[in-house]
Amino acid sequence: MAALIGVLALQGAFREHAAALARCQATVREIRTLADLDGLQGLVLPGGESTVMGRLLQEEGLLQPLASLCATGVPVLATCAGMILLAKDLPGFSAQPRLGLMDISVRRNAFGRQKESFTTRLPVREFSHGADDLIESVFIRAPLVTSCGAGVSVLASVNDHPVAVRQDNMLALAFHPELTQDTRFHAWLVRRAQALSR
Amino acid sequence: METGTFVIKSGLAQMLKGGVIMDVTTPEQATIAQEAGACAVMALERVPADIRAAGGVARMADPAIVTAIMKAVSIPVMAKVRIGHVTEARILESLGVDYIDESEVLTPADDRYHINKKDFTVPFVCGARNLGEALRRIAEGACMIRTKGEPGTGNVVEAVRHCRLVLGEIAALRALPEEEVPTFAKDIAAPLELVLETRRLGRLPVVNFAAGGIATPADAAFMMELGCDGIFVGSGIFKSSDPARRARAIVAAVSHYRDYKLLAEVSTGLGEAMPGLDISALSPEQRMQERGC
């Protein structure tokens, strides 16, 4: 049975994630309302504008139900704005509605404005293997992690600042694998979802 | 480390999908737009309805307005330049705006050529009325397309026409036998390579928003239903009687464009929409959409 993965589809690059998941043989459901959470085995929090998603999540009454879903241990892949939604601490924007499930402090637009957006190739622990195996990483007005708790492992950094972190079932990336052909993060999500439901 | 590549420039537009980009003229309006859930704002000196009313030559906004708006919000800030005006674009790029709209709403600076947008690190969005225009703009380096519609009218009919035309031409292109594709490209005056890519993808190679005349949550949801990726609202919000509420309603309508109960709810008691204009009341010189094709 293909794993059923939900992609939060209130705003942002959900279509790109759906395409990457489909390449990993997952069944994809777009999440817009409470009813869409039923039976999900994995979750993607996509890139977009975190202020917009936070506001719509709150209006739709989805914050608590999504947090409960994550607490059951289903795997979560969060990219860019998704990382912001997961951050427990968001200095300067502490009132911004979000899930706040990950023990990380995140700085929004940490690299600057759009003209400072960049692509680089990074080693990512648990995902890339050896010095020659680098993962194409697209940073668009991206956030970064300024500090993280003991339960969080840092998988990749730029200028010593974490940009890929994992806490148990939740993987948060400051960059956009869904804009590249590299599906290994999506494959991780699908694998974990399948393992969990077995 | 690479900056200003097509992936990075078109990528920001991909992040804006399913969202609403709102025209604002002051930092206060920008804050209202951000609070209401705008995914970006367009910093302007005047909204299109006022540009239309003022007449004369409409130019890039005063950099003071653009920078004040950039300071006021954390979401992306866009700004408009006149068609072909390379220097206005370089000025906005130096200010650090996140997207430039090479826009027919302003008075064209070049009646023949658009800006070579590939030369810039900052990405560009351009208006288009049909597939040929859209692909010519993409060939020049535009990383996002929007319908032209007829700005500042509060009348959605032209945006609908342009959207249907682009999507209809793509559907026709997909149905063509292979040997007819080069002639199709010649007929719409677009590069064959982009025509082939569009045919393969079944959609434009960049994000495609609706713009020009959207005034209500129902208008916005309708443009999403037709297949647009998101919405620009120009005069529609800050020319209405309750901008904050209308802005929130349009954001919800775009996200939930097929949830008709919700659309009914957010459309209820919104107050006066902006005053509308019948397109046939405009003389050809008053039609902004004819500029720069």
Side-chain angles (χ1 to χ4, degrees):
Chain A
M1 268 284 280
L4 176 61
I5 309 289
V7 181
L8 186 64
L10 291 171
Q11 191 270 323
F14 48 87
R15 190 168 70 202
E16 290 76 1
H17 276 290
L21 289 165
R23 287 207 295 277
C24 299
Q25 274 79 50
T27 305
V28 181
R29 183 195 290 158
E30 294 183 356
I31 303 170
R32 288 193 176 79
T33 62
L34 194 55
D36 300 326
L37 297 185
D38 221 27
L40 292 184
Q41 295 166 290
L43 176 66
V44 172
L45 303 172
E49 273 306 310
S50 62
T51 52
V52 183
M53 285 192 240
R55 162 163 203 101
L56 290 166
L57 280 169
Q58 194 171 43
E59 271 181 5
E60 201 55 37
L62 276 173
L63 282 171
Q64 194 50 52
L66 268 180
S68 307
L69 177 69
C70 298
T72 65
V74 303
V76 181
L77 171 63
T79 60
C80 197
M83 173 188 257
I84 297 170
L85 291 178
L86 282 181
K88 193 157 100 183
D89 272 339
L90 195 60
F93 301 94
S94 53
Q96 191 174 311
R98 61 190 185 280
L99 297 165
L101 299 169
M102 222 172 171
D103 194 6
I104 52 175
S105 185
V106 168
R107 191 192 303 152
R108 288 183 57 201
N109 304 332
F111 297 92
R113 306 195 70 95
Q114 171 62 13
K115 65 176 178 178
E116 278 90 37
S117 294
F118 62 97
T119 300
T120 188
R121 301 173 70 77
L122 291 175
V124 182
R125 272 177 48 208
E126 301 178 16
F127 290 92
S128 64
H129 303 284
D132 295 337
D133 184 22
L134 300 174
I135 298 184
E136 186 186 356
S137 312
V138 183
F139 291 79
I140 296 177
R141 287 172 49 93
L144 58 70
V145 177
T146 51
S147 66
C148 42
V152 178
S153 29
V154 174
L155 309 183
S157 298
V158 170
N159 304 331
D160 293 329
H161 288 296
V163 294
V165 290
R166 187 172 68 75
Q167 176 182 318
D168 305 319
N169 55 315
M170 295 178 285
L171 173 64
L173 311 173
F175 50 89
H176 293 284
E178 78 281 10
L179 298 186
T180 72
Q181 295 306 306
D182 200 319
T183 53
R184 57 189 117 178
F185 299 107
H186 295 89
W188 168 88
L189 184 77
V190 173
R191 261 197 327 271
R192 263 188 97 118
Q194 278 164 338
L196 200 72
S197 53
R198 219 168 267 143
Chain B
M1 192 132 69
E2 294 175 298
T3 58
T5 62
F6 177 76
V7 167
I8 294 165
K9 297 200 285 189
S10 62
L12 178 56
Q14 286 171 279
M15 298 307 138
L16 299 174
K17 291 200 313 274
V20 183
I21 301 167
M22 303 182 192
D23 277 6
V24 297
T25 57
T26 64
E28 293 72 32
Q29 287 185 355
T31 309
I32 292 171
Q34 176 170 267
E35 298 275 309
C39 67
V41 290
M42 178 75 70
L44 285 167
E45 210 158 304
R46 296 195 187 98
V47 295
D50 290 337
I51 289 174
R52 202 175 268 295
V57 175
R59 311 179 180 89
M60 174 188 81
D62 185 330
I65 295 175
V66 179
T67 45
I69 289 168
M70 284 166 57
K71 278 203 189 95
V73 293
S74 63
I75 56 178
V77 175
M78 302 184 166
K80 288 187 196 289
V81 297
R82 286 179 267 176
I83 289 171
H85 207 309
V86 180
T87 306
E88 282 188 350
R90 286 295 182 198
I91 292 170
L92 289 182
E93 185 178 49
S94 80
L95 296 178
V97 302
D98 298 293
Y99 239 94
I100 293 177
D101 185 0
E102 186 182 19
S103 176
E104 68 284 1
V105 168
L106 306 182
T107 311
D110 191 322
D111 65 352
R112 211 165 144 65
Y113 302 108
H114 282 69
I115 296 168
N116 178 14
K117 295 166 276 285
K118 287 184 171 157
D119 266 0
F120 286 72
T121 304
V122 62
F124 281 75
V125 54
C126 286
R129 292 175 301 176
N130 53 51
L131 184 58
E133 267 187 55
L135 295 182
R136 285 194 293 280
R137 296 297 85 79
I138 295 167
E140 295 154 3
C143 292
M144 179 177 185
I145 292 294
R146 54 171 176 75
T147 61
K148 283 181 168 174
E150 192 53 50
T153 60
N155 190 340
V156 80
V157 66
E158 295 300 293
V160 170
R161 203 159 63 83
H162 300 159
C163 176
R164 282 201 186 273
L165 205 51
V166 169
L167 298 178
E169 285 173 296
I170 293 173
L173 168 62
R174 296 195 85 187
L176 285 183
E178 183 114 35
E179 68 271 18
E180 294 185 16
V181 175
T183 302
F184 179 91
K186 189 188 80 179
D187 289 345
I188 66 166
L192 178 58
E193 190 186 315
L194 287 174
V195 169
L196 286 169
E197 193 184 349
T198 303
R199 175 177 155 96
R200 185 173 57 79
L201 293 169
R203 56 174 171 78
L204 288 179
V206 301
V207 166
N208 180 25
F209 269 47
I214 293 149
T216 67
D219 285 350
F222 178 32
M223 296 310 300
M224 295 300 288
E225 181 65 45
L226 288 178
C228 290
D229 293 320
I231 306 290
F232 282 89
V233 188
S235 320
I237 289 171
F238 289 98
K239 284 280 156 195
S240 73
S241 61
D242 188 347
R245 199 152 159 235
R246 184 165 295 263
R248 281 198 303 275
I250 292 177
V251 169
V254 168
S255 192
H256 301 282
Y257 65 93
R258 277 186 179 151
D259 184 339
Y260 306 113
K261 274 193 175 143
L262 181 140
L263 292 177
E265 217 174 279
V266 301
S267 302
T268 304
L270 275 186
E272 282 287 309
M274 68 176 287
L277 273 178
D278 189 349
I279 307 299
S280 64
L282 300 175
S283 64
E285 314 81 71
Q286 289 173 311
R287 286 159 64 100
M288 293 172 172
Q289 60 175 284
E290 316 289 345
R291 298 165 168 179
C293 34

